[in-house]
Amino acid sequence: MIDFTVRIGVFILVFSSLIFWQWHWPRGALLQWRQRWRHNLSLLVIGAISVRVIQPLLLSIVALFNQNFGLFWLLDLPFWAVFLLSVLLLDCLIYWQHRLFHHVPFLWRIHRVHHSDPELDVSSAVRFHPIEIVLSLFIKALAVWLLGIPVEAVLAFDILLNASAMFNHTNARLPVNIEAWVKKLLVTPDMHRIHHSRVSLEANSNYGFFLSIWDALFKSKRNDALKGDEYLKIGLPDTVTYQPRSLKEVLVMPFAFFKKHR
């Protein structure tokens, strides 16, 4: 219960702070925010319900089989080292999971719900199909079990991941001189905006959510849009202009086909 309260408290604090930032210093006008927010917040609620139903069962299974098991238990490292390594490895896992969801066709069909948002703002960070949320939960649970990651590290990483995802989807931008330094370590709104391009070459880059070091290390980092930021168009890559008109249409997207550009 404390775990859930902390997560919700931090989420509300970060979400409201970023809303204030993008409201007072917007990067650009959001013309479709009413419909988008209905869809995005609905997906947030559905995803939260899915997690609340599945997570207790999943954590029970992990706890049952996690007695004196896992890489960190075998290495017998001090807690601070286990904590830091856990956060780093979980973030690296999310990087590769995200990259996999772009390159495996049936996973991309699920993940494209996130990319179908025609504009970016803090609400885009929660625009994930419930199937993707559940799959991600199972992948993370497997990593927690195999590595023997402590619950404190899982909680800290979840908070960092959610906060950073909201930050880098925000409809705002850092000052140029600060941006250059921050994106060497963290994923910034300018950096993640390129990932949401309608051009596949741009969309298949900048996979990180929290640390930008993975994109740099695994050669997927792109600092600038191909034709400049002013010409970058947000939305589903390599399709005709498409935006789901209803929540039902959003939920059936993994099972729908779209026309490609000729």
Side-chain angles (χ1 to χ4, degrees):
M1 183 64 185
I2 295 176
D3 178 358
F4 179 71
T5 304
V6 171
R7 290 171 196 251
I8 291 297
V10 173
F11 175 87
I12 292 173
L13 177 63
V14 174
F15 191 84
S16 56
S17 299
L18 293 174
I19 287 293
F20 180 84
W21 183 26
Q22 72 174 29
W23 179 268
H24 289 279
W25 297 280
R27 178 196 189 95
L30 298 175
L31 304 178
Q32 306 175 58
W33 69 272
R34 288 181 177 84
Q35 183 176 3
R36 291 176 48 256
W37 271 62
R38 285 200 302 272
H39 294 167
N40 295 352
L41 295 182
S42 296
L43 286 173
L44 170 64
V45 172
I46 295 171
I49 292 172
S50 302
V51 169
R52 291 295 287 171
V53 170
I54 294 172
Q55 192 172 48
L57 174 62
L58 206 54
L59 291 177
S60 297
I61 295 172
V62 170
L64 180 65
F65 291 100
N66 208 31
Q67 301 298 319
N68 297 332
F69 182 82
L71 177 62
F72 292 143
W73 182 81
L74 293 174
L75 295 176
D76 194 26
L77 298 171
F79 178 79
W80 66 266
V82 170
F83 185 91
L84 290 177
L85 284 172
S86 295
V87 171
L88 281 172
L89 290 176
L90 283 173
D91 196 48
C92 186
L93 172 71
I94 294 300
Y95 165 87
W96 279 107
Q97 174 189 305
H98 190 186
R99 194 162 179 167
L100 200 65
F101 269 70
H102 271 255
H103 292 282
V104 177
F106 84 92
L107 294 176
W108 168 245
R109 294 177 68 79
I110 300 167
H111 183 60
R112 64 186 180 180
V113 168
H114 181 63
H115 281 265
S116 68
D117 203 337
E119 298 174 333
L120 282 186
D121 70 0
V122 65
S123 75
S124 305
V126 298
R127 186 189 179 93
F128 288 97
H129 197 281
I131 295 176
E132 180 169 359
I133 292 173
V134 171
L135 284 175
S136 182
L137 193 59
F138 274 92
I139 292 169
K140 186 168 64 177
L142 181 62
V144 169
W145 175 51
L146 291 175
L147 294 174
I149 294 176
V151 65
E152 295 89 348
V154 175
L155 175 59
F157 176 71
D158 278 351
I159 290 172
L160 283 172
L161 182 66
N162 290 330
S164 59
M166 287 188 284
F167 165 69
N168 58 51
H169 284 88
T170 304
N171 180 42
R173 68 193 319 165
L174 296 172
V176 176
N177 57 331
I178 296 177
E179 167 77 22
W181 286 99
V182 173
K183 73 178 179 182
K184 290 181 179 181
L185 179 63
L186 304 177
V187 179
T188 63
D190 268 14
M191 185 179 168
H192 195 70
R193 177 178 167 81
I194 295 171
H195 178 74
H196 278 266
S197 168
R198 287 187 180 274
V199 178
S200 281
L201 191 61
E202 294 176 322
N204 291 319
S205 67
N206 296 355
Y207 296 103
F209 275 105
F210 174 39
L211 297 174
S212 64
I213 58 174
W214 310 120
D215 281 296
L217 181 62
F218 299 116
K219 310 299 183 185
S220 58
K221 188 173 182 179
R222 182 178 293 277
N223 288 311
D224 302 295
L226 292 171
K227 296 182 179 179
D229 182 71
E230 64 273 22
Y231 294 106
L232 192 150
K233 297 185 184 301
I234 302 298
L236 200 59
D238 291 342
T239 63
V240 295
T241 303
Y242 174 78
Q243 181 190 359
R245 292 164 294 180
S246 66
L247 179 61
K248 178 182 177 181
E249 200 170 329
V250 172
L251 292 172
V252 301
M253 272 189 70
F255 318 104
F257 291 89
F258 307 114
K259 295 179 181 178
K260 296 250 180 148
H261 283 303
R262 297 294 182 187

